[in-house]
mmCIF file of all heavy atoms in Angstrom:
data_model
loop_
_atom_site.group_PDB
_atom_site.id
_atom_site.type_symbol
_atom_site.label_atom_id
_atom_site.label_comp_id
_atom_site.label_asym_id
_atom_site.label_seq_id
_atom_site.Cartn_x
_atom_site.Cartn_y
_atom_site.Cartn_z
ATOM 1 N N ASP A 1 -2.652 10.222 -6.141
ATOM 2 C CA ASP A 1 -1.388 10.953 -6.107
ATOM 3 C C ASP A 1 -1.524 12.306 -6.801
ATOM 4 O O ASP A 1 -2.587 12.675 -7.301
ATOM 5 C CB ASP A 1 -0.237 10.124 -6.682
ATOM 6 C CG ASP A 1 -0.360 9.838 -8.167
ATOM 7 O OD1 ASP A 1 -1.198 10.484 -8.844
ATOM 8 O OD2 ASP A 1 0.387 8.975 -8.677
ATOM 9 N N PHE A 2 -0.425 13.069 -6.816
ATOM 10 C CA PHE A 2 -0.436 14.425 -7.363
ATOM 11 C C PHE A 2 -0.829 14.452 -8.839
ATOM 12 O O PHE A 2 -1.309 15.465 -9.347
ATOM 13 C CB PHE A 2 0.938 15.080 -7.195
ATOM 14 C CG PHE A 2 1.247 15.484 -5.772
ATOM 15 C CD1 PHE A 2 2.265 14.867 -5.074
ATOM 16 C CD2 PHE A 2 0.511 16.478 -5.145
ATOM 17 C CE1 PHE A 2 2.565 15.249 -3.764
ATOM 18 C CE2 PHE A 2 0.797 16.861 -3.839
ATOM 19 C CZ PHE A 2 1.835 16.243 -3.152
ATOM 20 N N ASP A 3 -0.605 13.343 -9.551
ATOM 21 C CA ASP A 3 -0.919 13.292 -10.982
ATOM 22 C C ASP A 3 -2.352 12.842 -11.258
ATOM 23 O O ASP A 3 -2.736 12.686 -12.420
ATOM 24 C CB ASP A 3 0.060 12.350 -11.695
ATOM 25 C CG ASP A 3 1.490 12.864 -11.642
ATOM 26 O OD1 ASP A 3 1.675 14.100 -11.737
ATOM 27 O OD2 ASP A 3 2.415 12.045 -11.498
ATOM 28 N N GLY A 4 -3.116 12.589 -10.203
ATOM 29 C CA GLY A 4 -4.501 12.182 -10.377
ATOM 30 C C GLY A 4 -4.696 10.693 -10.566
ATOM 31 O O GLY A 4 -5.815 10.238 -10.832
ATOM 32 N N ASN A 5 -3.621 9.912 -10.447
ATOM 33 C CA ASN A 5 -3.745 8.462 -10.540
ATOM 34 C C ASN A 5 -4.426 7.920 -9.280
ATOM 35 O O ASN A 5 -4.298 8.501 -8.197
ATOM 36 C CB ASN A 5 -2.361 7.816 -10.696
ATOM 37 C CG ASN A 5 -1.638 8.298 -11.930
ATOM 38 O OD1 ASN A 5 -2.211 8.362 -13.020
ATOM 39 N ND2 ASN A 5 -0.370 8.663 -11.788
ATOM 40 N N ARG A 6 -5.097 6.787 -9.432
ATOM 41 C CA ARG A 6 -5.811 6.197 -8.295
ATOM 42 C C ARG A 6 -5.370 4.753 -8.065
ATOM 43 O O ARG A 6 -4.899 4.084 -8.980
ATOM 44 C CB ARG A 6 -7.321 6.263 -8.515
ATOM 45 C CG ARG A 6 -7.857 7.689 -8.558
ATOM 46 C CD ARG A 6 -9.365 7.735 -8.666
ATOM 47 N NE ARG A 6 -9.862 9.105 -8.644
ATOM 48 C CZ ARG A 6 -10.121 9.802 -7.537
ATOM 49 N NH1 ARG A 6 -9.930 9.229 -6.362
ATOM 50 N NH2 ARG A 6 -10.576 11.040 -7.595
ATOM 51 N N GLY A 7 -5.545 4.308 -6.835
ATOM 52 C CA GLY A 7 -5.173 2.947 -6.498
ATOM 53 C C GLY A 7 -5.655 2.582 -5.106
ATOM 54 O O GLY A 7 -6.485 3.275 -4.520
ATOM 55 N N HIS A 8 -5.109 1.479 -4.589
ATOM 56 C CA HIS A 8 -5.484 1.008 -3.258
ATOM 57 C C HIS A 8 -4.235 0.558 -2.512
ATOM 58 O O HIS A 8 -3.260 0.084 -3.112
ATOM 59 C CB HIS A 8 -6.463 -0.154 -3.340
ATOM 60 C CG HIS A 8 -7.762 0.201 -3.997
ATOM 61 N ND1 HIS A 8 -8.758 0.917 -3.362
ATOM 62 C CD2 HIS A 8 -8.216 -0.057 -5.244
ATOM 63 C CE1 HIS A 8 -9.770 1.088 -4.186
ATOM 64 N NE2 HIS A 8 -9.476 0.507 -5.337
ATOM 65 N N LEU A 9 -4.299 0.684 -1.194
ATOM 66 C CA LEU A 9 -3.229 0.224 -0.316
ATOM 67 C C LEU A 9 -3.795 -0.861 0.584
ATOM 68 O O LEU A 9 -4.882 -0.694 1.149
ATOM 69 C CB LEU A 9 -2.706 1.384 0.527
ATOM 70 C CG LEU A 9 -1.365 1.184 1.236
ATOM 71 C CD1 LEU A 9 -0.228 1.300 0.219
ATOM 72 C CD2 LEU A 9 -1.180 2.234 2.336
ATOM 73 N N GLY A 10 -3.083 -1.964 0.703
ATOM 74 C CA GLY A 10 -3.518 -3.061 1.557
ATOM 75 C C GLY A 10 -2.467 -3.391 2.590
ATOM 76 O O GLY A 10 -1.270 -3.390 2.279
ATOM 77 N N ILE A 11 -2.893 -3.656 3.820
ATOM 78 C CA ILE A 11 -1.984 -4.009 4.912
ATOM 79 C C ILE A 11 -2.318 -5.419 5.375
ATOM 80 O O ILE A 11 -3.474 -5.722 5.691
ATOM 81 C CB ILE A 11 -2.106 -3.037 6.099
ATOM 82 C CG1 ILE A 11 -2.102 -1.582 5.625
ATOM 83 C CG2 ILE A 11 -1.012 -3.299 7.113
ATOM 84 C CD1 ILE A 11 -0.817 -1.130 4.999
ATOM 85 N N THR A 12 -1.335 -6.301 5.423
ATOM 86 C CA THR A 12 -1.575 -7.678 5.839
ATOM 87 C C THR A 12 -1.379 -7.838 7.341
ATOM 88 O O THR A 12 -0.794 -6.980 8.006
ATOM 89 C CB THR A 12 -0.624 -8.647 5.109
ATOM 90 O OG1 THR A 12 0.717 -8.454 5.603
ATOM 91 C CG2 THR A 12 -0.646 -8.400 3.606
ATOM 92 N N ASP A 13 -1.857 -8.953 7.879
ATOM 93 C CA ASP A 13 -1.687 -9.242 9.304
ATOM 94 C C ASP A 13 -0.220 -9.385 9.676
ATOM 95 O O ASP A 13 0.154 -9.187 10.827
ATOM 96 C CB ASP A 13 -2.440 -10.523 9.675
ATOM 97 C CG ASP A 13 -3.948 -10.346 9.640
ATOM 98 O OD1 ASP A 13 -4.406 -9.196 9.704
ATOM 99 O OD2 ASP A 13 -4.669 -11.360 9.531
ATOM 100 N N SER A 14 0.607 -9.737 8.706
ATOM 101 C CA SER A 14 2.037 -9.909 8.974
ATOM 102 C C SER A 14 2.811 -8.598 8.859
ATOM 103 O O SER A 14 4.037 -8.585 8.972
ATOM 104 C CB SER A 14 2.631 -10.944 8.009
ATOM 105 O OG SER A 14 2.489 -10.514 6.665
ATOM 106 N N GLY A 15 2.079 -7.479 8.633
ATOM 107 C CA GLY A 15 2.741 -6.182 8.605
ATOM 108 C C GLY A 15 3.265 -5.756 7.254
ATOM 109 O O GLY A 15 3.987 -4.766 7.159
ATOM 110 N N LYS A 16 2.926 -6.453 6.186
ATOM 111 C CA LYS A 16 3.353 -6.076 4.846
ATOM 112 C C LYS A 16 2.385 -5.053 4.247
ATOM 113 O O LYS A 16 1.186 -5.078 4.521
ATOM 114 C CB LYS A 16 3.413 -7.304 3.936
ATOM 115 C CG LYS A 16 4.534 -8.280 4.258
ATOM 116 C CD LYS A 16 5.875 -7.736 3.790
ATOM 117 C CE LYS A 16 6.970 -8.787 3.899
ATOM 118 N NZ LYS A 16 8.277 -8.265 3.418
ATOM 119 N N THR A 17 2.907 -4.168 3.407
ATOM 120 C CA THR A 17 2.095 -3.176 2.708
ATOM 121 C C THR A 17 2.157 -3.449 1.214
ATOM 122 O O THR A 17 3.251 -3.611 0.654
ATOM 123 C CB THR A 17 2.606 -1.751 2.976
ATOM 124 O OG1 THR A 17 2.511 -1.471 4.377
ATOM 125 C CG2 THR A 17 1.783 -0.719 2.222
ATOM 126 N N TYR A 18 0.983 -3.500 0.568
ATOM 127 C CA TYR A 18 0.916 -3.753 -0.873
ATOM 128 C C TYR A 18 0.113 -2.649 -1.544
ATOM 129 O O TYR A 18 -0.804 -2.069 -0.947
ATOM 130 C CB TYR A 18 0.266 -5.111 -1.149
ATOM 131 C CG TYR A 18 1.127 -6.288 -0.750
ATOM 132 C CD1 TYR A 18 1.062 -6.800 0.551
ATOM 133 C CD2 TYR A 18 1.995 -6.881 -1.660
ATOM 134 C CE1 TYR A 18 1.843 -7.876 0.927
ATOM 135 C CE2 TYR A 18 2.785 -7.972 -1.288
ATOM 136 C CZ TYR A 18 2.707 -8.457 0.003
ATOM 137 O OH TYR A 18 3.487 -9.518 0.381
ATOM 138 N N MET A 19 0.454 -2.373 -2.809
ATOM 139 C CA MET A 19 -0.237 -1.340 -3.578
ATOM 140 C C MET A 19 -0.677 -1.892 -4.921
ATOM 141 O O MET A 19 0.036 -2.674 -5.553
ATOM 142 C CB MET A 19 0.694 -0.133 -3.795
ATOM 143 C CG MET A 19 -0.011 1.103 -4.345
ATOM 144 S SD MET A 19 1.147 2.480 -4.735
ATOM 145 C CE MET A 19 1.921 2.729 -3.134
ATOM 146 N N ILE A 20 -1.876 -1.483 -5.334
ATOM 147 C CA ILE A 20 -2.384 -1.796 -6.662
ATOM 148 C C ILE A 20 -2.932 -0.496 -7.237
ATOM 149 O O ILE A 20 -3.444 0.346 -6.493
ATOM 150 C CB ILE A 20 -3.470 -2.889 -6.613
ATOM 151 C CG1 ILE A 20 -3.825 -3.392 -8.014
ATOM 152 C CG2 ILE A 20 -4.709 -2.400 -5.886
ATOM 153 C CD1 ILE A 20 -4.745 -4.618 -8.004
ATOM 154 N N THR A 21 -2.803 -0.293 -8.544
ATOM 155 C CA THR A 21 -3.233 0.961 -9.139
ATOM 156 C C THR A 21 -4.061 0.719 -10.392
ATOM 157 O O THR A 21 -4.073 -0.390 -10.945
ATOM 158 C CB THR A 21 -2.026 1.842 -9.522
ATOM 159 O OG1 THR A 21 -1.383 1.294 -10.676
ATOM 160 C CG2 THR A 21 -1.021 1.926 -8.373
ATOM 161 N N SER A 22 -4.736 1.773 -10.833
ATOM 162 C CA SER A 22 -5.502 1.686 -12.077
ATOM 163 C C SER A 22 -4.566 1.562 -13.277
ATOM 164 O O SER A 22 -4.968 1.092 -14.338
ATOM 165 C CB SER A 22 -6.381 2.928 -12.232
ATOM 166 O OG SER A 22 -5.598 4.112 -12.196
ATOM 167 N N LEU A 23 -3.298 1.947 -13.114
ATOM 168 C CA LEU A 23 -2.327 1.851 -14.194
ATOM 169 C C LEU A 23 -1.744 0.450 -14.309
ATOM 170 O O LEU A 23 -1.396 0.005 -15.396
ATOM 171 C CB LEU A 23 -1.179 2.852 -13.958
ATOM 172 C CG LEU A 23 -1.573 4.332 -13.871
ATOM 173 C CD1 LEU A 23 -0.366 5.168 -13.444
ATOM 174 C CD2 LEU A 23 -2.120 4.815 -15.201
ATOM 175 N N ASP A 24 -1.619 -0.237 -13.180
ATOM 176 C CA ASP A 24 -1.017 -1.574 -13.141
ATOM 177 C C ASP A 24 -1.757 -2.386 -12.088
ATOM 178 O O ASP A 24 -1.491 -2.262 -10.902
ATOM 179 C CB ASP A 24 0.472 -1.456 -12.805
ATOM 180 C CG ASP A 24 1.181 -2.802 -12.814
ATOM 181 O OD1 ASP A 24 0.527 -3.818 -13.136
ATOM 182 O OD2 ASP A 24 2.375 -2.844 -12.488
ATOM 183 N N GLN A 25 -2.685 -3.231 -12.550
ATOM 184 C CA GLN A 25 -3.582 -3.912 -11.626
ATOM 185 C C GLN A 25 -2.994 -5.220 -11.100
ATOM 186 O O GLN A 25 -3.598 -6.296 -11.181
ATOM 187 C CB GLN A 25 -4.928 -4.140 -12.309
ATOM 188 C CG GLN A 25 -5.611 -2.822 -12.679
ATOM 189 C CD GLN A 25 -6.958 -3.010 -13.350
ATOM 190 O OE1 GLN A 25 -7.611 -4.034 -13.183
ATOM 191 N NE2 GLN A 25 -7.386 -2.022 -14.114
ATOM 192 N N VAL A 26 -1.798 -5.101 -10.531
ATOM 193 C CA VAL A 26 -1.115 -6.209 -9.867
ATOM 194 C C VAL A 26 -0.625 -5.706 -8.513
ATOM 195 O O VAL A 26 0.009 -4.647 -8.428
ATOM 196 C CB VAL A 26 0.090 -6.716 -10.703
ATOM 197 C CG1 VAL A 26 0.844 -7.808 -9.936
ATOM 198 C CG2 VAL A 26 -0.383 -7.231 -12.051
ATOM 199 N N TRP A 27 -0.941 -6.449 -7.456
ATOM 200 C CA TRP A 27 -0.478 -6.050 -6.128
ATOM 201 C C TRP A 27 1.041 -6.143 -6.055
ATOM 202 O O TRP A 27 1.628 -7.138 -6.458
ATOM 203 C CB TRP A 27 -1.096 -6.940 -5.062
ATOM 204 C CG TRP A 27 -2.551 -6.688 -4.823
ATOM 205 C CD1 TRP A 27 -3.599 -7.414 -5.314
ATOM 206 C CD2 TRP A 27 -3.122 -5.622 -4.050
ATOM 207 N NE1 TRP A 27 -4.788 -6.883 -4.891
ATOM 208 C CE2 TRP A 27 -4.534 -5.777 -4.112
ATOM 209 C CE3 TRP A 27 -2.592 -4.572 -3.317
ATOM 210 C CZ2 TRP A 27 -5.400 -4.918 -3.458
ATOM 211 C CZ3 TRP A 27 -3.465 -3.705 -2.663
ATOM 212 C CH2 TRP A 27 -4.848 -3.881 -2.736
ATOM 213 N N GLU A 28 1.671 -5.092 -5.514
ATOM 214 C CA GLU A 28 3.126 -5.076 -5.393
ATOM 215 C C GLU A 28 3.526 -4.651 -3.990
ATOM 216 O O GLU A 28 2.945 -3.721 -3.411
ATOM 217 C CB GLU A 28 3.733 -4.116 -6.424
ATOM 218 C CG GLU A 28 5.248 -4.185 -6.485
ATOM 219 C CD GLU A 28 5.814 -3.545 -7.745
ATOM 220 O OE1 GLU A 28 5.100 -3.539 -8.771
ATOM 221 O OE2 GLU A 28 6.941 -3.067 -7.694
ATOM 222 N N ASP A 29 4.531 -5.329 -3.448
ATOM 223 C CA ASP A 29 5.009 -5.042 -2.099
ATOM 224 C C ASP A 29 5.706 -3.677 -2.074
ATOM 225 O O ASP A 29 6.649 -3.429 -2.810
ATOM 226 C CB ASP A 29 5.995 -6.145 -1.677
ATOM 227 C CG ASP A 29 6.387 -6.058 -0.207
ATOM 228 O OD1 ASP A 29 6.199 -4.994 0.407
ATOM 229 O OD2 ASP A 29 6.900 -7.065 0.320
ATOM 230 N N CYS A 30 5.215 -2.775 -1.212
ATOM 231 C CA CYS A 30 5.863 -1.466 -1.051
ATOM 232 C C CYS A 30 6.090 -1.179 0.426
ATOM 233 O O CYS A 30 6.043 -0.030 0.871
ATOM 234 C CB CYS A 30 5.022 -0.369 -1.706
ATOM 235 S SG CYS A 30 3.356 -0.175 -1.022
ATOM 236 N N THR A 31 6.341 -2.245 1.196
ATOM 237 C CA THR A 31 6.497 -2.125 2.640
ATOM 238 C C THR A 31 7.662 -1.205 2.993
ATOM 239 O O THR A 31 8.786 -1.427 2.548
ATOM 240 C CB THR A 31 6.751 -3.509 3.263
ATOM 241 O OG1 THR A 31 5.727 -4.416 2.857
ATOM 242 C CG2 THR A 31 6.791 -3.418 4.779
ATOM 243 N N PRO A 32 7.416 -0.153 3.795
ATOM 244 C CA PRO A 32 8.526 0.708 4.221
ATOM 245 C C PRO A 32 9.512 -0.064 5.095
ATOM 246 O O PRO A 32 9.106 -0.904 5.899
ATOM 247 C CB PRO A 32 7.829 1.810 5.031
ATOM 248 C CG PRO A 32 6.399 1.763 4.622
ATOM 249 C CD PRO A 32 6.115 0.331 4.295
ATOM 250 N N ILE A 33 10.774 0.213 4.916
ATOM 251 C CA ILE A 33 11.812 -0.440 5.724
ATOM 252 C C ILE A 33 11.600 -0.086 7.196
ATOM 253 O O ILE A 33 11.496 1.088 7.554
ATOM 254 C CB ILE A 33 13.217 -0.013 5.274
ATOM 255 C CG1 ILE A 33 13.471 -0.477 3.840
ATOM 256 C CG2 ILE A 33 14.280 -0.570 6.213
ATOM 257 C CD1 ILE A 33 14.775 0.015 3.248
ATOM 258 N N GLY A 34 11.516 -1.102 8.024
ATOM 259 C CA GLY A 34 11.345 -0.883 9.457
ATOM 260 C C GLY A 34 9.911 -0.722 9.901
ATOM 261 O O GLY A 34 9.653 -0.420 11.067
ATOM 262 N N GLN A 35 8.947 -0.938 8.992
ATOM 263 C CA GLN A 35 7.532 -0.771 9.346
ATOM 264 C C GLN A 35 7.169 -1.677 10.524
ATOM 265 O O GLN A 35 7.339 -2.892 10.461
ATOM 266 C CB GLN A 35 6.653 -1.113 8.156
ATOM 267 C CG GLN A 35 5.164 -1.130 8.476
ATOM 268 C CD GLN A 35 4.327 -1.681 7.325
ATOM 269 O OE1 GLN A 35 4.668 -1.513 6.176
ATOM 270 N NE2 GLN A 35 3.221 -2.348 7.655
ATOM 271 N N PRO A 36 6.675 -1.118 11.631
ATOM 272 C CA PRO A 36 6.286 -1.948 12.775
ATOM 273 C C PRO A 36 5.088 -2.828 12.430
ATOM 274 O O PRO A 36 4.163 -2.398 11.744
ATOM 275 C CB PRO A 36 5.907 -0.912 13.843
ATOM 276 C CG PRO A 36 6.512 0.372 13.390
ATOM 277 C CD PRO A 36 6.523 0.317 11.902
ATOM 278 N N LEU A 37 5.105 -4.060 12.907
ATOM 279 C CA LEU A 37 4.016 -4.980 12.615
ATOM 280 C C LEU A 37 2.705 -4.527 13.229
ATOM 281 O O LEU A 37 1.628 -4.785 12.688
ATOM 282 C CB LEU A 37 4.372 -6.380 13.128
ATOM 283 C CG LEU A 37 5.594 -7.066 12.504
ATOM 284 C CD1 LEU A 37 5.788 -8.450 13.111
ATOM 285 C CD2 LEU A 37 5.436 -7.175 10.997
ATOM 286 N N ASN A 38 2.788 -3.846 14.388
ATOM 287 C CA ASN A 38 1.569 -3.477 15.118
ATOM 288 C C ASN A 38 1.165 -2.025 14.898
ATOM 289 O O ASN A 38 0.324 -1.498 15.628
ATOM 290 C CB ASN A 38 1.759 -3.738 16.611
ATOM 291 C CG ASN A 38 2.913 -2.939 17.206
ATOM 292 O OD1 ASN A 38 3.728 -2.384 16.461
ATOM 293 N ND2 ASN A 38 2.991 -2.894 18.519
ATOM 294 N N ALA A 39 1.737 -1.354 13.913
ATOM 295 C CA ALA A 39 1.405 0.058 13.682
ATOM 296 C C ALA A 39 0.010 0.189 13.103
ATOM 297 O O ALA A 39 -0.368 -0.545 12.186
ATOM 298 C CB ALA A 39 2.427 0.685 12.738
ATOM 299 N N TYR A 40 -0.768 1.114 13.654
ATOM 300 C CA TYR A 40 -2.043 1.465 13.037
ATOM 301 C C TYR A 40 -1.760 2.306 11.803
ATOM 302 O O TYR A 40 -0.893 3.180 11.806
ATOM 303 C CB TYR A 40 -2.915 2.262 14.000
ATOM 304 C CG TYR A 40 -3.592 1.428 15.059
ATOM 305 C CD1 TYR A 40 -3.287 1.593 16.404
ATOM 306 C CD2 TYR A 40 -4.558 0.489 14.711
ATOM 307 C CE1 TYR A 40 -3.922 0.837 17.384
ATOM 308 C CE2 TYR A 40 -5.199 -0.275 15.680
ATOM 309 C CZ TYR A 40 -4.873 -0.096 17.011
ATOM 310 O OH TYR A 40 -5.505 -0.859 17.962
ATOM 311 N N VAL A 41 -2.504 2.051 10.731
ATOM 312 C CA VAL A 41 -2.321 2.797 9.491
ATOM 313 C C VAL A 41 -3.562 3.654 9.250
ATOM 314 O O VAL A 41 -4.685 3.158 9.290
ATOM 315 C CB VAL A 41 -2.093 1.855 8.293
ATOM 316 C CG1 VAL A 41 -1.940 2.659 6.998
ATOM 317 C CG2 VAL A 41 -0.860 0.993 8.521
ATOM 318 N N THR A 42 -3.345 4.945 9.015
ATOM 319 C CA THR A 42 -4.432 5.847 8.649
ATOM 320 C C THR A 42 -4.040 6.583 7.375
ATOM 321 O O THR A 42 -2.867 6.882 7.159
ATOM 322 C CB THR A 42 -4.751 6.860 9.768
ATOM 323 O OG1 THR A 42 -3.536 7.456 10.237
ATOM 324 C CG2 THR A 42 -5.447 6.171 10.927
ATOM 325 N N VAL A 43 -5.029 6.849 6.538
ATOM 326 C CA VAL A 43 -4.796 7.492 5.244
ATOM 327 C C VAL A 43 -5.701 8.713 5.128
ATOM 328 O O VAL A 43 -6.874 8.657 5.512
ATOM 329 C CB VAL A 43 -5.066 6.514 4.080
ATOM 330 C CG1 VAL A 43 -4.928 7.218 2.736
ATOM 331 C CG2 VAL A 43 -4.111 5.324 4.155
ATOM 332 N N ALA A 44 -5.161 9.807 4.622
ATOM 333 C CA ALA A 44 -5.947 11.027 4.439
ATOM 334 C C ALA A 44 -5.584 11.665 3.106
ATOM 335 O O ALA A 44 -4.442 11.557 2.651
ATOM 336 C CB ALA A 44 -5.679 12.013 5.573
#
């Protein structure tokens, strides 16, 4: 992120999005409202 923090994003087969960070090493659900189950996810 803009503050230089690092982490990981995980996408499940059921369409859920989870995030874990170096600040808090616990996976947390951050699924966007309305996220399509079959959407391809790309990160840049």
Side-chain angles (χ1 to χ4, degrees):
D1 66 14
F2 287 114
D3 295 323
N5 300 314
R6 295 185 177 274
H8 298 283
L9 195 76
I11 313 294
T12 70
D13 290 340
S14 61
K16 290 285 189 179
T17 298
Y18 290 88
M19 191 185 302
I20 190 171
T21 73
S22 57
L23 301 172
D24 183 3
Q25 297 180 24
V26 176
W27 288 100
E28 188 164 332
D29 189 342
C30 61
T31 307
I33 296 174
Q35 173 189 328
L37 297 181
N38 60 346
Y40 283 115
V41 179
T42 48
V43 176

